[in-house]
Amino acid sequence: GRGASPPGGGVSAPGTGTTPVRVVVVDDQATIRLGLRMILDNEPDVTVVGEAGDGETAVAMARALRPDVLLMDVRMPRLDGIEATARIVADPELAAVRTLVLTTFDDDEYVYGALRAGAAGFLLKDADPQSLVDAVHRVHAGDSLLDPAVTGRIISTYVELARQAPLAASDAVETGSAVTGLDAATPREREVLLAVARGLSNREIGAELHLTEATVKSHVRSLLTKVGLTNRVQLVILAYEAGFVRPGGTA
């Protein structure tokens, strides 16, 4: 997957009249917000439409501005990034707003919480500028953004914890029905799910399974409907939690 798809994941080149990707930057440190804004505003096909310093403001901005992508810090005052992500994902009117969580390596627990809440992916804060720009484009294009190595480590750690700690009744019902939905997946959908769990983009999955990108998207949508989830990141977590995929990406 590394370097297999061009930057932007198929987004039209600058100057072709494409509407720029609209981004809101959320971090409680002004210097980090400024740095992110400078990187993104330097791109002709990305525009930063707002900044927020806490989760409450982030949710309000998502509702007021309807950005394409929300870059979300995790640890913030008033409302953290996990709860802010959950509120945005739970609002049907904000279905088009995709949240990309910015994190550091020692934030595993927060990352897991944010991914379960419905974030479209996560990126390490020290990622280079090009990786940040590519991440914004990939998430906007509907792909998830998961570093397979980090994802496997995080999910396996917290899946193990979840197995040791009894689930709340509501969680148990939710997970049970989702796993039943996974059982109803077709063989092709299972192949697609394994590829998604390895962190591949729709384009990369299509190339590997000899499918068009549209067909891959259709399989992912079908899987989401069967398991009652909102995005492909939650789908990956379910696949690990149900034991369908194990760390290392094998079935």
mmCIF file of all heavy atoms in Angstrom, residues 108-146:
data_model
loop_
_atom_site.group_PDB
_atom_site.id
_atom_site.type_symbol
_atom_site.label_atom_id
_atom_site.label_comp_id
_atom_site.label_asym_id
_atom_site.label_seq_id
_atom_site.Cartn_x
_atom_site.Cartn_y
_atom_site.Cartn_z
ATOM 1 N N ASP A 108 -2.982 5.502 22.920
ATOM 2 C CA ASP A 108 -3.697 4.332 22.385
ATOM 3 C C ASP A 108 -5.150 4.237 22.838
ATOM 4 O O ASP A 108 -6.046 3.993 22.043
ATOM 5 C CB ASP A 108 -2.991 3.033 22.805
ATOM 6 C CG ASP A 108 -1.801 2.727 21.909
ATOM 7 O OD1 ASP A 108 -1.468 3.586 21.073
ATOM 8 O OD2 ASP A 108 -1.221 1.646 22.041
ATOM 9 N N GLU A 109 -5.356 4.436 24.144
ATOM 10 C CA GLU A 109 -6.704 4.268 24.678
ATOM 11 C C GLU A 109 -7.666 5.280 24.068
ATOM 12 O O GLU A 109 -8.804 4.968 23.722
ATOM 13 C CB GLU A 109 -6.666 4.438 26.198
ATOM 14 C CG GLU A 109 -7.991 4.138 26.871
ATOM 15 C CD GLU A 109 -7.909 4.284 28.387
ATOM 16 O OE1 GLU A 109 -6.794 4.414 28.923
ATOM 17 O OE2 GLU A 109 -8.981 4.267 28.999
ATOM 18 N N TYR A 110 -7.166 6.507 23.881
ATOM 19 C CA TYR A 110 -7.997 7.562 23.282
ATOM 20 C C TYR A 110 -8.296 7.245 21.823
ATOM 21 O O TYR A 110 -9.405 7.455 21.347
ATOM 22 C CB TYR A 110 -7.286 8.917 23.368
ATOM 23 C CG TYR A 110 -7.164 9.457 24.769
ATOM 24 C CD1 TYR A 110 -5.986 9.303 25.485
ATOM 25 C CD2 TYR A 110 -8.232 10.120 25.382
ATOM 26 C CE1 TYR A 110 -5.862 9.798 26.772
ATOM 27 C CE2 TYR A 110 -8.119 10.619 26.670
ATOM 28 C CZ TYR A 110 -6.938 10.457 27.366
ATOM 29 O OH TYR A 110 -6.821 10.951 28.633
ATOM 30 N N VAL A 111 -7.280 6.755 21.121
ATOM 31 C CA VAL A 111 -7.473 6.423 19.707
ATOM 32 C C VAL A 111 -8.561 5.366 19.563
ATOM 33 O O VAL A 111 -9.469 5.485 18.747
ATOM 34 C CB VAL A 111 -6.154 5.900 19.072
ATOM 35 C CG1 VAL A 111 -6.412 5.369 17.667
ATOM 36 C CG2 VAL A 111 -5.126 7.011 19.017
ATOM 37 N N TYR A 112 -8.481 4.326 20.404
ATOM 38 C CA TYR A 112 -9.475 3.255 20.339
ATOM 39 C C TYR A 112 -10.867 3.824 20.592
ATOM 40 O O TYR A 112 -11.818 3.518 19.869
ATOM 41 C CB TYR A 112 -9.142 2.177 21.377
ATOM 42 C CG TYR A 112 -10.028 0.959 21.276
ATOM 43 C CD1 TYR A 112 -9.976 0.135 20.164
ATOM 44 C CD2 TYR A 112 -10.914 0.624 22.293
ATOM 45 C CE1 TYR A 112 -10.777 -0.990 20.063
ATOM 46 C CE2 TYR A 112 -11.720 -0.501 22.202
ATOM 47 C CZ TYR A 112 -11.647 -1.308 21.083
ATOM 48 O OH TYR A 112 -12.443 -2.413 20.982
ATOM 49 N N GLY A 113 -10.985 4.687 21.608
ATOM 50 C CA GLY A 113 -12.280 5.303 21.917
ATOM 51 C C GLY A 113 -12.801 6.125 20.755
ATOM 52 O O GLY A 113 -13.986 6.068 20.404
ATOM 53 N N ALA A 114 -11.909 6.889 20.126
ATOM 54 C CA ALA A 114 -12.327 7.748 19.008
ATOM 55 C C ALA A 114 -12.752 6.921 17.800
ATOM 56 O O ALA A 114 -13.731 7.246 17.120
ATOM 57 C CB ALA A 114 -11.185 8.689 18.630
ATOM 58 N N LEU A 115 -12.020 5.827 17.524
ATOM 59 C CA LEU A 115 -12.376 4.981 16.385
ATOM 60 C C LEU A 115 -13.716 4.288 16.630
ATOM 61 O O LEU A 115 -14.556 4.197 15.738
ATOM 62 C CB LEU A 115 -11.279 3.948 16.118
ATOM 63 C CG LEU A 115 -9.910 4.505 15.697
ATOM 64 C CD1 LEU A 115 -8.908 3.379 15.492
ATOM 65 C CD2 LEU A 115 -10.021 5.343 14.426
ATOM 66 N N ARG A 116 -13.922 3.828 17.868
ATOM 67 C CA ARG A 116 -15.209 3.210 18.189
ATOM 68 C C ARG A 116 -16.337 4.219 18.080
ATOM 69 O O ARG A 116 -17.462 3.885 17.737
ATOM 70 C CB ARG A 116 -15.189 2.631 19.612
ATOM 71 C CG ARG A 116 -14.500 1.304 19.685
ATOM 72 C CD ARG A 116 -15.058 0.439 20.782
ATOM 73 N NE ARG A 116 -16.396 -0.047 20.470
ATOM 74 C CZ ARG A 116 -16.947 -1.118 21.003
ATOM 75 N NH1 ARG A 116 -16.276 -1.826 21.879
ATOM 76 N NH2 ARG A 116 -18.153 -1.496 20.697
ATOM 77 N N ALA A 117 -16.030 5.483 18.407
ATOM 78 C CA ALA A 117 -17.055 6.537 18.362
ATOM 79 C C ALA A 117 -17.427 6.905 16.928
ATOM 80 O O ALA A 117 -18.442 7.551 16.692
ATOM 81 C CB ALA A 117 -16.560 7.777 19.103
ATOM 82 N N GLY A 118 -16.594 6.497 15.971
ATOM 83 C CA GLY A 118 -16.943 6.757 14.574
ATOM 84 C C GLY A 118 -15.995 7.658 13.805
ATOM 85 O O GLY A 118 -16.327 8.134 12.725
ATOM 86 N N ALA A 119 -14.785 7.907 14.346
ATOM 87 C CA ALA A 119 -13.806 8.692 13.584
ATOM 88 C C ALA A 119 -13.439 7.928 12.307
ATOM 89 O O ALA A 119 -13.457 6.712 12.276
ATOM 90 C CB ALA A 119 -12.549 8.927 14.429
ATOM 91 N N ALA A 120 -13.100 8.687 11.259
ATOM 92 C CA ALA A 120 -12.777 8.054 9.971
ATOM 93 C C ALA A 120 -11.347 7.536 9.938
ATOM 94 O O ALA A 120 -10.950 6.843 9.009
ATOM 95 C CB ALA A 120 -12.986 9.052 8.842
ATOM 96 N N GLY A 121 -10.571 7.876 10.968
ATOM 97 C CA GLY A 121 -9.192 7.407 10.991
ATOM 98 C C GLY A 121 -8.375 8.243 11.948
ATOM 99 O O GLY A 121 -8.901 9.126 12.618
ATOM 100 N N PHE A 122 -7.090 7.946 12.014
ATOM 101 C CA PHE A 122 -6.246 8.758 12.883
ATOM 102 C C PHE A 122 -4.890 8.945 12.239
ATOM 103 O O PHE A 122 -4.468 8.188 11.371
ATOM 104 C CB PHE A 122 -6.102 8.111 14.265
ATOM 105 C CG PHE A 122 -5.358 6.807 14.262
ATOM 106 C CD1 PHE A 122 -3.978 6.778 14.447
ATOM 107 C CD2 PHE A 122 -6.029 5.612 14.076
ATOM 108 C CE1 PHE A 122 -3.294 5.575 14.434
ATOM 109 C CE2 PHE A 122 -5.347 4.403 14.069
ATOM 110 C CZ PHE A 122 -3.967 4.391 14.246
ATOM 111 N N LEU A 123 -4.221 10.014 12.652
ATOM 112 C CA LEU A 123 -2.918 10.362 12.125
ATOM 113 C C LEU A 123 -2.067 10.807 13.296
ATOM 114 O O LEU A 123 -2.549 11.506 14.189
ATOM 115 C CB LEU A 123 -3.092 11.519 11.136
ATOM 116 C CG LEU A 123 -1.899 11.884 10.258
ATOM 117 C CD1 LEU A 123 -1.634 10.763 9.247
ATOM 118 C CD2 LEU A 123 -2.169 13.184 9.519
ATOM 119 N N LEU A 124 -0.802 10.390 13.304
ATOM 120 C CA LEU A 124 0.086 10.830 14.377
ATOM 121 C C LEU A 124 0.427 12.304 14.176
ATOM 122 O O LEU A 124 0.622 12.759 13.050
ATOM 123 C CB LEU A 124 1.362 9.989 14.381
ATOM 124 C CG LEU A 124 1.157 8.518 14.761
ATOM 125 C CD1 LEU A 124 2.428 7.720 14.538
ATOM 126 C CD2 LEU A 124 0.699 8.389 16.203
ATOM 127 N N LYS A 125 0.485 13.046 15.286
ATOM 128 C CA LYS A 125 0.720 14.493 15.217
ATOM 129 C C LYS A 125 2.048 14.851 14.570
ATOM 130 O O LYS A 125 2.190 15.938 14.025
ATOM 131 C CB LYS A 125 0.673 15.102 16.618
ATOM 132 C CG LYS A 125 -0.729 15.450 17.069
ATOM 133 C CD LYS A 125 -0.699 16.279 18.333
ATOM 134 C CE LYS A 125 -2.113 16.599 18.768
ATOM 135 N NZ LYS A 125 -2.152 17.369 20.003
ATOM 136 N N ASP A 126 3.030 13.935 14.658
ATOM 137 C CA ASP A 126 4.330 14.281 14.068
ATOM 138 C C ASP A 126 4.455 13.804 12.615
ATOM 139 O O ASP A 126 5.540 13.753 12.060
ATOM 140 C CB ASP A 126 5.476 13.720 14.923
ATOM 141 C CG ASP A 126 5.398 12.200 15.076
ATOM 142 O OD1 ASP A 126 4.481 11.591 14.478
ATOM 143 O OD2 ASP A 126 6.240 11.632 15.791
ATOM 144 N N ALA A 127 3.320 13.473 11.997
ATOM 145 C CA ALA A 127 3.354 13.072 10.579
ATOM 146 C C ALA A 127 3.881 14.236 9.744
ATOM 147 O O ALA A 127 3.683 15.402 10.081
ATOM 148 C CB ALA A 127 1.946 12.687 10.115
ATOM 149 N N ASP A 128 4.554 13.910 8.640
ATOM 150 C CA ASP A 128 5.088 14.991 7.803
ATOM 151 C C ASP A 128 3.944 15.685 7.062
ATOM 152 O O ASP A 128 2.851 15.127 6.918
ATOM 153 C CB ASP A 128 6.124 14.435 6.823
ATOM 154 C CG ASP A 128 5.520 13.417 5.879
ATOM 155 O OD1 ASP A 128 4.995 13.800 4.825
ATOM 156 O OD2 ASP A 128 5.542 12.215 6.228
ATOM 157 N N PRO A 129 4.189 16.925 6.582
ATOM 158 C CA PRO A 129 3.121 17.704 5.939
ATOM 159 C C PRO A 129 2.409 16.972 4.804
ATOM 160 O O PRO A 129 1.192 17.027 4.696
ATOM 161 C CB PRO A 129 3.852 18.944 5.429
ATOM 162 C CG PRO A 129 4.990 19.118 6.385
ATOM 163 C CD PRO A 129 5.416 17.729 6.757
ATOM 164 N N GLN A 130 3.182 16.259 3.956
ATOM 165 C CA GLN A 130 2.537 15.570 2.827
ATOM 166 C C GLN A 130 1.589 14.480 3.311
ATOM 167 O O GLN A 130 0.513 14.281 2.748
ATOM 168 C CB GLN A 130 3.592 14.978 1.890
ATOM 169 C CG GLN A 130 3.016 14.454 0.572
ATOM 170 C CD GLN A 130 2.276 15.525 -0.227
ATOM 171 O OE1 GLN A 130 2.826 16.586 -0.498
ATOM 172 N NE2 GLN A 130 1.032 15.259 -0.582
ATOM 173 N N SER A 131 1.972 13.787 4.387
ATOM 174 C CA SER A 131 1.096 12.737 4.944
ATOM 175 C C SER A 131 -0.202 13.347 5.458
ATOM 176 O O SER A 131 -1.278 12.755 5.322
ATOM 177 C CB SER A 131 1.795 12.004 6.098
ATOM 178 O OG SER A 131 2.909 11.305 5.622
ATOM 179 N N LEU A 132 -0.102 14.528 6.059
ATOM 180 C CA LEU A 132 -1.297 15.215 6.568
ATOM 181 C C LEU A 132 -2.237 15.563 5.410
ATOM 182 O O LEU A 132 -3.438 15.292 5.462
ATOM 183 C CB LEU A 132 -0.890 16.484 7.322
ATOM 184 C CG LEU A 132 -2.042 17.396 7.751
ATOM 185 C CD1 LEU A 132 -2.914 16.725 8.812
ATOM 186 C CD2 LEU A 132 -1.524 18.734 8.267
ATOM 187 N N VAL A 133 -1.665 16.142 4.351
ATOM 188 C CA VAL A 133 -2.473 16.528 3.184
ATOM 189 C C VAL A 133 -3.110 15.290 2.547
ATOM 190 O O VAL A 133 -4.307 15.276 2.237
ATOM 191 C CB VAL A 133 -1.593 17.289 2.160
ATOM 192 C CG1 VAL A 133 -2.367 17.536 0.865
ATOM 193 C CG2 VAL A 133 -1.108 18.609 2.758
ATOM 194 N N ASP A 134 -2.313 14.232 2.378
ATOM 195 C CA ASP A 134 -2.843 12.991 1.798
ATOM 196 C C ASP A 134 -3.967 12.422 2.660
ATOM 197 O O ASP A 134 -4.972 11.912 2.153
ATOM 198 C CB ASP A 134 -1.735 11.929 1.677
ATOM 199 C CG ASP A 134 -0.709 12.286 0.602
ATOM 200 O OD1 ASP A 134 -0.960 13.237 -0.156
ATOM 201 O OD2 ASP A 134 0.346 11.617 0.544
ATOM 202 N N ALA A 135 -3.783 12.503 3.991
ATOM 203 C CA ALA A 135 -4.786 11.972 4.922
ATOM 204 C C ALA A 135 -6.115 12.700 4.756
ATOM 205 O O ALA A 135 -7.182 12.081 4.712
ATOM 206 C CB ALA A 135 -4.290 12.110 6.357
ATOM 207 N N VAL A 136 -6.048 14.025 4.658
ATOM 208 C CA VAL A 136 -7.271 14.823 4.481
ATOM 209 C C VAL A 136 -7.987 14.403 3.198
ATOM 210 O O VAL A 136 -9.207 14.202 3.174
ATOM 211 C CB VAL A 136 -6.932 16.336 4.473
ATOM 212 C CG1 VAL A 136 -8.099 17.160 3.949
ATOM 213 C CG2 VAL A 136 -6.533 16.794 5.875
ATOM 214 N N HIS A 137 -7.225 14.228 2.116
ATOM 215 C CA HIS A 137 -7.832 13.815 0.841
ATOM 216 C C HIS A 137 -8.423 12.411 0.917
ATOM 217 O O HIS A 137 -9.514 12.159 0.400
ATOM 218 C CB HIS A 137 -6.799 13.883 -0.286
ATOM 219 C CG HIS A 137 -6.543 15.268 -0.789
ATOM 220 N ND1 HIS A 137 -7.549 16.131 -1.149
ATOM 221 C CD2 HIS A 137 -5.383 15.952 -0.975
ATOM 222 C CE1 HIS A 137 -7.029 17.280 -1.555
ATOM 223 N NE2 HIS A 137 -5.716 17.190 -1.444
ATOM 224 N N ARG A 138 -7.707 11.497 1.553
ATOM 225 C CA ARG A 138 -8.198 10.111 1.622
ATOM 226 C C ARG A 138 -9.494 10.018 2.407
ATOM 227 O O ARG A 138 -10.441 9.335 2.010
ATOM 228 C CB ARG A 138 -7.142 9.205 2.276
ATOM 229 C CG ARG A 138 -6.185 8.587 1.284
ATOM 230 C CD ARG A 138 -5.336 7.507 1.919
ATOM 231 N NE ARG A 138 -6.096 6.279 2.173
ATOM 232 C CZ ARG A 138 -5.533 5.120 2.448
ATOM 233 N NH1 ARG A 138 -4.221 5.020 2.514
ATOM 234 N NH2 ARG A 138 -6.272 4.046 2.686
ATOM 235 N N VAL A 139 -9.529 10.716 3.541
ATOM 236 C CA VAL A 139 -10.727 10.689 4.383
ATOM 237 C C VAL A 139 -11.893 11.354 3.643
ATOM 238 O O VAL A 139 -13.021 10.865 3.667
ATOM 239 C CB VAL A 139 -10.430 11.383 5.734
ATOM 240 C CG1 VAL A 139 -11.700 11.716 6.474
ATOM 241 C CG2 VAL A 139 -9.561 10.480 6.585
ATOM 242 N N HIS A 140 -11.606 12.447 2.956
ATOM 243 C CA HIS A 140 -12.647 13.138 2.186
ATOM 244 C C HIS A 140 -13.185 12.248 1.070
ATOM 245 O O HIS A 140 -14.377 12.253 0.766
ATOM 246 C CB HIS A 140 -12.072 14.435 1.597
ATOM 247 C CG HIS A 140 -13.049 15.194 0.750
ATOM 248 N ND1 HIS A 140 -12.790 15.555 -0.543
ATOM 249 C CD2 HIS A 140 -14.301 15.634 1.019
ATOM 250 C CE1 HIS A 140 -13.851 16.193 -1.042
ATOM 251 N NE2 HIS A 140 -14.776 16.246 -0.115
ATOM 252 N N ALA A 141 -12.312 11.416 0.491
ATOM 253 C CA ALA A 141 -12.724 10.532 -0.609
ATOM 254 C C ALA A 141 -13.527 9.329 -0.125
ATOM 255 O O ALA A 141 -14.032 8.546 -0.911
ATOM 256 C CB ALA A 141 -11.497 10.056 -1.381
ATOM 257 N N GLY A 142 -13.628 9.172 1.212
ATOM 258 C CA GLY A 142 -14.433 8.066 1.744
ATOM 259 C C GLY A 142 -13.617 6.879 2.214
ATOM 260 O O GLY A 142 -14.169 5.885 2.671
ATOM 261 N N ASP A 143 -12.290 6.968 2.086
ATOM 262 C CA ASP A 143 -11.444 5.887 2.609
ATOM 263 C C ASP A 143 -11.221 6.107 4.100
ATOM 264 O O ASP A 143 -11.306 7.221 4.593
ATOM 265 C CB ASP A 143 -10.086 5.879 1.907
ATOM 266 C CG ASP A 143 -10.131 5.136 0.574
ATOM 267 O OD1 ASP A 143 -10.888 4.146 0.490
ATOM 268 O OD2 ASP A 143 -9.438 5.542 -0.368
ATOM 269 N N SER A 144 -10.897 5.030 4.794
ATOM 270 C CA SER A 144 -10.492 5.194 6.185
ATOM 271 C C SER A 144 -8.996 5.437 6.194
ATOM 272 O O SER A 144 -8.318 5.200 5.201
ATOM 273 C CB SER A 144 -10.818 3.939 6.984
ATOM 274 O OG SER A 144 -10.241 2.818 6.371
ATOM 275 N N LEU A 145 -8.504 5.942 7.305
ATOM 276 C CA LEU A 145 -7.080 6.173 7.396
ATOM 277 C C LEU A 145 -6.572 5.465 8.637
ATOM 278 O O LEU A 145 -6.755 5.934 9.751
ATOM 279 C CB LEU A 145 -6.785 7.662 7.476
ATOM 280 C CG LEU A 145 -5.316 7.907 7.144
ATOM 281 C CD1 LEU A 145 -5.155 8.125 5.659
ATOM 282 C CD2 LEU A 145 -4.769 9.042 7.925
ATOM 283 N N LEU A 146 -5.998 4.295 8.437
ATOM 284 C CA LEU A 146 -5.535 3.490 9.557
ATOM 285 C C LEU A 146 -4.127 3.004 9.245
ATOM 286 O O LEU A 146 -3.910 2.390 8.215
ATOM 287 C CB LEU A 146 -6.437 2.259 9.728
ATOM 288 C CG LEU A 146 -7.898 2.526 10.026
ATOM 289 C CD1 LEU A 146 -8.700 1.245 9.840
ATOM 290 C CD2 LEU A 146 -8.070 3.039 11.437
#
